[in-house]
Amino acid sequence: MTDPILHTAHTCRLSPAALDEIHAFLDTAFAGTFDADDWDHALGGIHAWVRDASGLLAHGSVVQRRVVHAGRSRRVGYVEGVAVRADRRREGLGGRVMAALEEVVDGAYVFGALSASAAGAPLYTARGWTVWPGRIAVQGARGVERLPDEEGSTYVRGAGGAPVLPAGEAATDVLVFDWRDGDVL
């Protein structure tokens, strides 16, 4: 069997067949709970995936989101669709995907953000991602709406290891994410 190879490409560079394969992979990895909105959220940015002769082993993508903090709108790299095939977990494949996505965050965004499950959180914390200590909200149709269920599971990472926020801005303040259909975060 060949060694697993890491690939990266923007959504626009992936064929319909490749996108279908990634979508099916994510649906399987998330036990059928990866819905159409989740798939839409993973598109439009850079994908990183690992495969070998047996097929896809791991995937993740980073897309642009707008986040308002302290009265400023910031361009944030938001990590989506991170999964590793069940029979290949704990081999470092998720770390390889995250390293590629973090390179994109470091080069293109003010900071990175993601929403982590309890099972996924150890991967992110081991890589230096930290829980946002403040409130989480979304700019919805009725104005800013707090998302208390996302507090404690929204992780951030400063680009290139820099602080997430400039000096003088408190990380205890609210992060207000842009609206999107489905799970907002």
Side-chain angles (χ1 to χ4, degrees):
M1 188 176 296
T2 62
D3 287 335
I5 298 173
L6 174 72
H7 304 269
T8 59
H10 191 279
T11 300
C12 74
R13 298 287 182 211
L14 296 173
S15 69
L19 290 169
D20 288 346
E21 181 184 26
I22 292 168
H23 189 185
F25 171 81
L26 291 171
D27 191 53
T28 299
F30 287 99
T33 64
F34 197 80
D35 66 21
D37 289 323
D38 296 325
W39 175 238
D40 185 62
H41 298 166
L43 300 175
I46 301 295
H47 297 260
W49 68 97
V50 178
R51 70 177 311 122
D52 67 6
S54 71
L56 280 173
L57 304 176
H59 172 272
S61 64
V62 61
V63 299
Q64 181 175 300
R65 301 276 311 262
R66 296 303 293 196
V67 175
V68 174
H69 180 267
R72 295 197 54 212
S73 178
R74 302 179 195 286
R75 192 180 67 252
V76 174
Y78 198 82
V79 175
E80 292 284 359
V82 176
V84 177
R85 200 169 78 191
D87 65 331
R88 298 298 298 268
R89 292 183 181 146
R90 309 293 181 251
E91 295 179 22
L93 300 172
R96 290 179 66 190
V97 165
M98 286 303 298
L101 300 179
E102 290 162 358
E103 183 178 345
V104 174
V105 169
D106 292 351
Y109 298 103
V110 176
F111 63 90
L114 58 84
S115 180
S117 67
L123 169 65
Y124 309 120
T125 57
R127 300 191 59 77
W129 292 74
T130 58
V131 173
W132 178 257
R135 292 173 290 141
I136 301 295
V138 65
Q139 180 64 51
R142 297 178 300 261
V144 175
E145 300 174 31
R146 187 169 172 206
L147 301 172
D149 291 345
E150 297 296 336
E151 295 168 4
S153 63
T154 299
Y155 288 72
V156 294
R157 177 184 180 277
V164 172
L165 300 171
E169 291 187 23
T172 55
D173 291 340
V174 64
L175 284 183
V176 182
F177 285 84
D178 56 347
W179 178 261
R180 62 186 188 174
D181 292 333
D183 293 331
V184 178
L185 294 189

